[in-house]
Amino acid sequence: MKPDISVIMSVYNGETYLAEAIESVRNQTFDNWELVIINDCSTDSTAEILADFSLRDARIKVHTNEVNLRLPTSLNKAISLSSGKYIARMDADDICLPDRLERQYQFMEDNPDIALSSCRFMTLKNGVYASGGAGGRCDSKALQAMLLVANPILHPGVIAKAEVMKKFLYDTTLTCTEDLELWTRMAGEHQKLWILPECLLLYRLHDKQITSTTLERQHTEVLKIQQKYYKKLLEEMEPAMQDFYISGIYFKENAEIHKFLEYAKWLRNKSNRSFDKDTINYALLEILAEYKRCGISKSDVLKAMLTFPPCFLVKEIIRRKKAAKEDIIKCRKVATKIGLKQTAGTEAFPVFEK
């Protein structure tokens, strides 16, 4: 029987968490899936782990690269080998919650106009769990605007129409930002992207991740990707703005309110043909919220907030507080269901441990 969902994974030396990740797919309440795994020339015990699982479960299909192809090329290979109606991403160090595929499959079936969707998640680091993405908007317009300033879509939580993934594919020239490039390319072609506001994945954070080891390359690749996205929907950023965009907007390493205000003014002026004002202001307010968490003074944050339309600001603060509360309640229910115990945290970002 043809699978409804092809789950694709690429793994390189993933022996530490691989078995737990695969078991989380095998334990799904939705069972009409295949798991296409590319072993990208691992030198640890990854091959043995994969061989054992493929013998035990015929739905697990392992393919080994003859040379190390890296993630984007390996994922494209997995996409080409997939036979499902939908393609779902999974990393070799994350954990699918038991109803992930069931919930995401039904969401895509109920919304045939959506090309790709992701989900809410809990982060997992050193045995401690925290909610991710609480309060953020999930609709396509908001994601299209957020992609101007950040990457709001969790890569290993994605499910998409197979024909869309096979049409767009990953850019194999990139080394650590292939997901952002794919989302912006899709959004630039007006493919509808969405986030299902249900916590369906445990996203593991650890020191070996690409995102924590290749910051300089990320800066270069992100700027290249975003220049294309801005040119498609707005216009290219001038060189004077590019440095602050990378360090102060996207990565928030050097957050400066006066430069943020200059960028915000420019973005509002350029966005009229592609975005409504409230959606752009939403994306800017999300960056400002991150600034607050980065330690920017309350007076500077307030100064920036005064540049937003008062009616929008009141509505968005009310909406966000309500949405964050709902997301956190869902997160706590999931944590209780899978045996996690709340130990500390703020109202917006509860922390859990086993």
Side-chain angles (χ1 to χ4, degrees), residues 137 141-142 145-146 148 234 264-265 267-286 307-309 311-313 316:
R137 278 175 56 178
K141 287 184 178 180
M146 277 300 297
L148 292 167
L234 306 172
K265 182 180 179 180
L267 187 62
R268 287 166 176 147
N269 288 337
K270 300 298 182 183
S271 61
N272 290 337
R273 69 185 179 92
S274 298
F275 300 92
D276 64 76
K277 291 181 180 179
D278 280 356
T279 305
I280 284 295
N281 279 323
Y282 160 74
L284 289 168
L285 194 60
E286 286 288 295
T307 67
F308 290 83
C311 288
F312 160 81
L313 200 58
E316 178 54 27

Side-chain angles (χ1 to χ4, degrees), residues 68-107:
N68 183 263
L69 298 178
R70 310 198 70 152
L71 184 60
T73 302
S74 293
L75 290 179
N76 285 346
K77 181 176 180 180
I79 290 169
S80 71
L81 294 166
S82 297
S83 57
K85 179 180 180 180
Y86 299 105
I87 290 175
R89 273 284 286 117
M90 179 64 183
D91 279 340
D93 52 1
D94 296 329
I95 301 171
C96 292
L97 297 180
D99 59 347
R100 175 195 168 181
L101 296 184
E102 179 181 1
R103 300 292 292 272
Q104 289 192 299
Y105 175 80
Q106 195 57 55
F107 180 74

Side-chain angles (χ1 to χ4, degrees), residues 156-168:
V158 156
I159 186 171
K161 293 178 178 178
E163 69 261 28
V164 171
M165 293 296 283
K166 291 181 179 184
K167 173 185 176 182
F168 282 86

Side-chain angles (χ1 to χ4, degrees), residues 178-325:
E178 71 286 334
D179 55 333
L180 174 67
E181 193 281 332
L182 183 56
W183 315 153
T184 54
R185 190 153 36 94
M186 285 182 174
E189 295 297 330
H190 302 289
Q191 296 289 321
K192 187 173 283 190
L193 315 179
W194 213 271
I195 294 176
L196 174 61
E198 303 293 339
C199 181
L200 300 174
L201 189 84
L202 297 183
Y203 178 60
R204 198 183 301 271
L205 302 174
H206 54 84
D207 294 336
K208 293 182 179 180
Q209 284 175 302
I210 288 177
T211 51
S212 64
T213 58
T214 58
L215 192 57
E216 186 175 346
R217 269 189 288 147
Q218 285 186 68
H219 281 208
T220 301
E221 291 184 5
V222 166
L223 184 58
K224 179 181 177 182
I225 291 164
Q226 294 294 52
Q227 283 286 50
K228 289 181 180 179
Y229 189 50
Y230 273 64
K231 186 176 181 180
K232 182 81 174 180
L233 298 180
L234 306 172
E235 68 176 51
E236 285 189 88
M237 288 178 279
E238 296 179 356
M241 188 177 292
Q242 292 174 19
D243 288 343
F244 175 69
Y245 173 80
I246 287 296
S247 66
I249 298 294
Y250 198 92
F251 290 99
K252 304 169 196 68
E253 300 153 333
N254 299 303
E256 299 179 48
I257 286 297
H258 75 281
K259 290 186 177 180
F260 169 84
L261 292 176
E262 290 175 3
Y263 168 80
K265 182 180 179 180
W266 179 86
L267 187 62
R268 287 166 176 147
N269 288 337
K270 300 298 182 183
S271 61
N272 290 337
R273 69 185 179 92
S274 298
F275 300 92
D276 64 76
K277 291 181 180 179
D278 280 356
T279 305
I280 284 295
N281 279 323
Y282 160 74
L284 289 168
L285 194 60
E286 286 288 295
I287 298 303
L288 200 56
E290 289 293 324
Y291 273 22
K292 187 176 179 181
R293 286 189 280 271
C294 290
I296 296 295
S297 70
K298 290 182 179 180
S299 61
D300 277 347
V301 171
L302 179 60
K303 178 182 177 181
M305 288 180 70
L306 291 175
T307 67
F308 290 83
C311 288
F312 160 81
L313 200 58
V314 171
K315 286 181 181 178
E316 178 54 27
I317 289 173
I318 292 172
R319 183 210 66 79
R320 204 183 199 293
K321 284 186 175 180
K322 181 181 177 182
K325 184 177 180 180

Side-chain angles (χ1 to χ4, degrees), residues 104-172:
Q104 289 192 299
Y105 175 80
Q106 195 57 55
F107 180 74
M108 295 298 287
E109 288 286 287
D110 291 342
N111 298 278
D113 58 328
I114 293 175
L116 175 148
S117 67
S118 192
C119 61
R120 290 282 192 248
F121 58 96
M122 286 190 288
T123 60
L124 165 59
K125 186 173 184 179
N126 299 327
V128 178
Y129 297 73
S131 64
R137 278 175 56 178
C138 300
D139 60 283
S140 185
K141 287 184 178 180
L143 295 184
Q144 189 181 45
M146 277 300 297
L147 282 166
L148 292 167
V149 297
N151 185 351
I153 299 172
L154 181 70
H155 191 190
V158 156
I159 186 171
K161 293 178 178 178
E163 69 261 28
V164 171
M165 293 296 283
K166 291 181 179 184
K167 173 185 176 182
F168 282 86
L169 296 173
Y170 291 93
D171 184 339
T172 58

